[in-house]
Amino acid sequence: MNVTRREFLVSSAAAGGGLALGLHVPFAMAADTKAAAAATEVNLWVAIRPDDTCVIRIARAEMGQGTLTGLAQLVVEELECDWAKVTTEGITPGRNLASKRAWGEMGTGGSRGIRTSHEYVRQGGAAARIMLLQAAADEWKVPVSELTVSKGVITHAASKRTTSYGKVAAKAAKITPPDVKTIKLRDPKEWKVAGQGLKRLDTRDKLDGSKVYSIDVRLPGMLNAAIQQCPVFGGKLVSYDEAAIAKRPGVKGVVKVDASTVAVVADTWWHAKTALDALPIVWDEGPNAKVSSASIAAHLKTGIDAEKAFAGTKKGDALQAISTSPKKVEAIYGTPFLAHATMEPMNCTARVTKEGAEVWVPTQNAEASLAALAESAGLPLEKCEVHRTDLGCGFGRRGGNQDYTKQATVIAKQFPGIPVKLIWSREEDTMHDFYRPISQCKLTAGLDAAGNLSGLHVRVSGQSINAWVNPNFDPEGKDRRQLQGMWEEPGDAQIGYTVPNLQIEYSMRNTHVPVGPWRGVNTNQNGVYLECFMDEVAKAAGKDPLEFRRALMANHPKHLAVLNAAAERAGWGKPLPAGVHRGIAQFMGYGSYSAAVAEVSVSAAGELKVHRMVLALDCGHAVNPEQIAAQVEGSVAYGLSATLFGENTVENGRIKETNFHEYRILKLAEMPKVETVIVPTYDFWGGVGEPTICVVAPSVLNAIYAATGKPVRQLPLKNQKLV
Amino acid sequence: MAKLNINGKVLDVKAEPDTPLLWALREQVGLTGTKYGCGVAACGACSVHINGELTRSCTMPIGSLKATDRIVTIEGLSKGATHAVQRAWAEVDVPQCGYCQSGQIMAAAALIAKTAKPTDADIDAAMTNICRCGTYQRIRKAIHRAAELNAAPKGGKA
């Protein structure tokens, strides 16, 4: 099977999940793969050293979310080796491509790292175990059924013989792999390694500074590049005065990277950066130079007011039901653009010659990086390679776009054979992101005489990620993705309520600001809209927010169970210290169910304190409860940053915020106590990294509403007077 | 050219006096454990100790440092990650992506050097570094644990 360049580009750039090409051959020996040093490759996922160390291959990106450890647990669960002797090895996209994508998809986004690869990695571990046992049986000339294995030690009880994986690995590698259909995987309820809250495998070198992130890569003769893009999106580079900086220390040259981007290359990054700061640049700011947050808000408002919009969900006649209801509730909410702000800024080191090209890059999609490299270098994919490093945060910023990989390649092309490291300044990183899309939402509800919800009409107006990725995307804006979390069909991001008359609509209103997936993507905004409005409606109905929700959730038992779990752990309904108030929210995304209860106080001066948050998550199978809890805690920090401070505003066509002093991030003192309740139901595989963020903001906002009686409808809170 | 005392060694560093210590460490000395996050002393990823004082190295020009100023980076905090803060960090499994953790560990080490048994309020006041993964809850727990490790009879002083 050959993968054409086009197929590869298409599949590796695809935003959706799944193995687009269906090419993975999990047990085939990759003909041209290099085994780990002194290790014998038993199959794609497992290589074993003579000292019994098991090297588990990892195709997905590790950016803090713990996927590396979880995937290793799944392989080891079936392999039955000694967890204390496990190490991991990342495979490169070049190697994957050369092996006809034997390791499957490498893209790591949409909380897919484990949930879309659990089966074939476990099968890989099981196949290796079967081969290792067979090798021992062959050597001892006994039936394999008489052997047992524990922690990598194979025992034949009858003859009291033992051997180890390290000793039989070479023989095992020559055995024909078992047919995948004959492999029976262990029932997750009987897991011994998976399902345990084991410590991460990748902590040690994060404690003493020895871990090498992409930004730390140092190569002989390496140059460094600093970059500036036109501050106004869509503007162009007119000219620059290279002579003005040519004699500054270490400067090697100025590169026009593309129509709107210039870079300075120097011996060190500090020399490059300071020279770039001194470089006179003339920009043509183009047609967007007058755009402001106010003009964008007005543009979005036209989507709220428009007579028609794309109805993603239409059940019954919501408009009629609401208009004939005795009580009507209406509100308009809004959320801003948000930068990802990964701690490690965008960077990439590239080396390009006529014969080949390679990059060292933090990437959530190494295959997209490879495609970007090949395209920018003008070389075939086979002549290119991507050296993956673990990421200093990802959050969706380092997925399909790969703008920084393209830039580094273009710059390095001007210095053939010399590695060039491109690092974005924090200012560049903040002002040239693919932001969480801005939106507004109008919600209208009808209540019958008994205070039951008779109809619900939701209209989201805002920017479409799909339309930014593909400008030819449906011009009518039929973009269901922008309604994520409010879909009727089950499985991924389903609305948790049964409403007799329901209409959920999207008005596409695009801007010139680049947008992209931001950890949790559209569940974050939609979670705020729907869940805060539910509290407003509950109050209008004179009902407790939890009871009001429960009454609508009988047909959504998993949503309900998670809501109940959060409420129970939080002690919903029980007395609180004076001045402390609770808020609750539930929502679904990435195949998992989330709920949260927040406890807050608001002082007479309007100062908010978030004391405690309880989050419940049903992700089906829980591969590592400790790491799931860590992700939930992290999601609170990420979600609270957005709730309290997060906002990118547009002024004169550009993003106004430049660095952390203007784009505030939550700090330790502002972190509430977080309790995680995992509600595993063992009947599906849901995501973990993203699902819980979307309940953070609405539970906090609902607690503020409970405290003040005044709903907050526009984020972030720093701009709002709470009392 | 500047003479800098880094992790107990006096080194000649070839950089202009206005070069921030962060970039001198990373690009001239080759100590990349100290991280660039913001360049404006807002995030703390670049935290080091200078004469025992917690310092954000991205805004500290090397020209303002003398050869007698003792600079300690994450690489020089201990041998084999044995400082109580590092041991506690491992025990509590604090890091996620890990990028900010050099700075967090340096900040925590500076805190417990001055306040052997910090309260939550002490930790709130001292730990102002940004962690975008949101490891704050575990950082707090690990600082308390580091204080315990230091106090334990056999734990050994860091």
Side-chain angles (χ1 to χ4, degrees), chain A residues 614-631:
Chain A
V614 175
L615 286 96
L617 173 71
D618 180 3
C619 53
H621 296 291
V623 175
N624 185 321
E626 269 300 305
Q627 300 314 321
I628 292 171
Q631 286 308 291

mmCIF file of all heavy atoms in Angstrom, chain A residues 614-631:
data_model
loop_
_atom_site.group_PDB
_atom_site.id
_atom_site.type_symbol
_atom_site.label_atom_id
_atom_site.label_comp_id
_atom_site.label_asym_id
_atom_site.label_seq_id
_atom_site.Cartn_x
_atom_site.Cartn_y
_atom_site.Cartn_z
ATOM 1 N N VAL A 614 -16.004 20.994 43.182
ATOM 2 C CA VAL A 614 -16.114 19.541 43.057
ATOM 3 C C VAL A 614 -16.469 19.251 41.609
ATOM 4 O O VAL A 614 -17.435 19.803 41.090
ATOM 5 C CB VAL A 614 -17.212 18.986 43.994
ATOM 6 C CG1 VAL A 614 -17.404 17.497 43.753
ATOM 7 C CG2 VAL A 614 -16.859 19.256 45.446
ATOM 8 N N LEU A 615 -15.649 18.417 40.977
ATOM 9 C CA LEU A 615 -15.944 18.059 39.593
ATOM 10 C C LEU A 615 -16.144 16.563 39.483
ATOM 11 O O LEU A 615 -15.362 15.788 40.049
ATOM 12 C CB LEU A 615 -14.810 18.503 38.651
ATOM 13 C CG LEU A 615 -14.800 20.017 38.425
ATOM 14 C CD1 LEU A 615 -13.822 20.686 39.358
ATOM 15 C CD2 LEU A 615 -14.491 20.350 36.994
ATOM 16 N N ALA A 616 -17.181 16.169 38.774
ATOM 17 C CA ALA A 616 -17.431 14.753 38.519
ATOM 18 C C ALA A 616 -17.272 14.489 37.036
ATOM 19 O O ALA A 616 -17.640 15.328 36.198
ATOM 20 C CB ALA A 616 -18.834 14.368 38.981
ATOM 21 N N LEU A 617 -16.674 13.360 36.715
ATOM 22 C CA LEU A 617 -16.402 13.015 35.322
ATOM 23 C C LEU A 617 -16.691 11.542 35.094
ATOM 24 O O LEU A 617 -16.218 10.691 35.851
ATOM 25 C CB LEU A 617 -14.921 13.305 35.009
ATOM 26 C CG LEU A 617 -14.394 12.842 33.640
ATOM 27 C CD1 LEU A 617 -14.969 13.703 32.525
ATOM 28 C CD2 LEU A 617 -12.863 12.889 33.601
ATOM 29 N N ASP A 618 -17.478 11.266 34.068
ATOM 30 C CA ASP A 618 -17.614 9.884 33.592
ATOM 31 C C ASP A 618 -16.943 9.816 32.229
ATOM 32 O O ASP A 618 -17.468 10.337 31.246
ATOM 33 C CB ASP A 618 -19.094 9.484 33.492
ATOM 34 C CG ASP A 618 -19.258 8.043 32.989
ATOM 35 O OD1 ASP A 618 -18.229 7.358 32.786
ATOM 36 O OD2 ASP A 618 -20.416 7.627 32.790
ATOM 37 N N CYS A 619 -15.758 9.210 32.214
ATOM 38 C CA CYS A 619 -15.045 9.016 30.942
ATOM 39 C C CYS A 619 -15.084 7.539 30.551
ATOM 40 O O CYS A 619 -14.237 7.067 29.793
ATOM 41 C CB CYS A 619 -13.614 9.531 31.045
ATOM 42 S SG CYS A 619 -12.682 8.852 32.437
ATOM 43 N N GLY A 620 -16.055 6.801 31.096
ATOM 44 C CA GLY A 620 -16.182 5.388 30.748
ATOM 45 C C GLY A 620 -15.132 4.573 31.461
ATOM 46 O O GLY A 620 -15.289 4.233 32.633
ATOM 47 N N HIS A 621 -14.043 4.271 30.766
ATOM 48 C CA HIS A 621 -12.909 3.593 31.386
ATOM 49 C C HIS A 621 -11.954 4.633 31.941
ATOM 50 O O HIS A 621 -11.661 5.625 31.281
ATOM 51 C CB HIS A 621 -12.181 2.732 30.349
ATOM 52 C CG HIS A 621 -13.034 1.622 29.827
ATOM 53 N ND1 HIS A 621 -13.408 0.553 30.596
ATOM 54 C CD2 HIS A 621 -13.606 1.424 28.612
ATOM 55 C CE1 HIS A 621 -14.165 -0.258 29.881
ATOM 56 N NE2 HIS A 621 -14.310 0.250 28.672
ATOM 57 N N ALA A 622 -11.460 4.374 33.133
ATOM 58 C CA ALA A 622 -10.524 5.310 33.765
ATOM 59 C C ALA A 622 -9.153 4.627 33.814
ATOM 60 O O ALA A 622 -8.905 3.778 34.654
ATOM 61 C CB ALA A 622 -11.009 5.667 35.165
ATOM 62 N N VAL A 623 -8.279 5.001 32.888
ATOM 63 C CA VAL A 623 -7.001 4.293 32.735
ATOM 64 C C VAL A 623 -6.032 4.623 33.864
ATOM 65 O O VAL A 623 -5.285 3.777 34.312
ATOM 66 C CB VAL A 623 -6.373 4.611 31.354
ATOM 67 C CG1 VAL A 623 -4.975 3.990 31.229
ATOM 68 C CG2 VAL A 623 -7.283 4.098 30.241
ATOM 69 N N ASN A 624 -6.049 5.878 34.332
ATOM 70 C CA ASN A 624 -5.187 6.247 35.464
ATOM 71 C C ASN A 624 -5.885 7.340 36.282
ATOM 72 O O ASN A 624 -5.809 8.528 35.958
ATOM 73 C CB ASN A 624 -3.818 6.742 34.981
ATOM 74 C CG ASN A 624 -2.870 7.015 36.140
ATOM 75 O OD1 ASN A 624 -3.272 7.524 37.187
ATOM 76 N ND2 ASN A 624 -1.600 6.667 35.965
ATOM 77 N N PRO A 625 -6.584 6.929 37.348
ATOM 78 C CA PRO A 625 -7.391 7.892 38.118
ATOM 79 C C PRO A 625 -6.586 9.086 38.641
ATOM 80 O O PRO A 625 -7.115 10.191 38.710
ATOM 81 C CB PRO A 625 -7.933 7.048 39.276
ATOM 82 C CG PRO A 625 -7.905 5.645 38.772
ATOM 83 C CD PRO A 625 -6.719 5.553 37.854
ATOM 84 N N GLU A 626 -5.329 8.867 39.015
ATOM 85 C CA GLU A 626 -4.523 9.983 39.518
ATOM 86 C C GLU A 626 -4.277 11.019 38.419
ATOM 87 O O GLU A 626 -4.328 12.223 38.648
ATOM 88 C CB GLU A 626 -3.168 9.478 40.039
ATOM 89 C CG GLU A 626 -3.178 9.134 41.507
ATOM 90 C CD GLU A 626 -3.533 10.337 42.375
ATOM 91 O OE1 GLU A 626 -2.877 11.376 42.274
ATOM 92 O OE2 GLU A 626 -4.499 10.220 43.146
ATOM 93 N N GLN A 627 -3.965 10.526 37.228
ATOM 94 C CA GLN A 627 -3.709 11.460 36.137
ATOM 95 C C GLN A 627 -4.999 12.109 35.641
ATOM 96 O O GLN A 627 -4.987 13.242 35.166
ATOM 97 C CB GLN A 627 -2.969 10.766 34.974
ATOM 98 C CG GLN A 627 -1.617 10.182 35.379
ATOM 99 C CD GLN A 627 -0.775 11.144 36.208
ATOM 100 O OE1 GLN A 627 -0.739 12.348 35.954
ATOM 101 N NE2 GLN A 627 -0.108 10.623 37.216
ATOM 102 N N ILE A 628 -6.093 11.391 35.777
ATOM 103 C CA ILE A 628 -7.393 12.005 35.450
ATOM 104 C C ILE A 628 -7.656 13.152 36.429
ATOM 105 O O ILE A 628 -8.039 14.259 36.023
ATOM 106 C CB ILE A 628 -8.528 10.949 35.489
ATOM 107 C CG1 ILE A 628 -8.346 9.951 34.338
ATOM 108 C CG2 ILE A 628 -9.896 11.629 35.400
ATOM 109 C CD1 ILE A 628 -9.276 8.748 34.414
ATOM 110 N N ALA A 629 -7.395 12.893 37.709
ATOM 111 C CA ALA A 629 -7.591 13.959 38.712
ATOM 112 C C ALA A 629 -6.684 15.149 38.397
ATOM 113 O O ALA A 629 -7.099 16.309 38.520
ATOM 114 C CB ALA A 629 -7.312 13.418 40.117
ATOM 115 N N ALA A 630 -5.452 14.866 37.980
ATOM 116 C CA ALA A 630 -4.531 15.960 37.638
ATOM 117 C C ALA A 630 -5.082 16.780 36.467
ATOM 118 O O ALA A 630 -4.968 18.013 36.442
ATOM 119 C CB ALA A 630 -3.149 15.402 37.297
ATOM 120 N N GLN A 631 -5.678 16.096 35.479
ATOM 121 C CA GLN A 631 -6.267 16.807 34.347
ATOM 122 C C GLN A 631 -7.465 17.637 34.780
ATOM 123 O O GLN A 631 -7.678 18.745 34.290
ATOM 124 C CB GLN A 631 -6.665 15.823 33.245
ATOM 125 C CG GLN A 631 -5.485 15.277 32.478
ATOM 126 C CD GLN A 631 -4.593 16.383 31.962
ATOM 127 O OE1 GLN A 631 -4.960 17.136 31.071
ATOM 128 N NE2 GLN A 631 -3.418 16.525 32.547
#
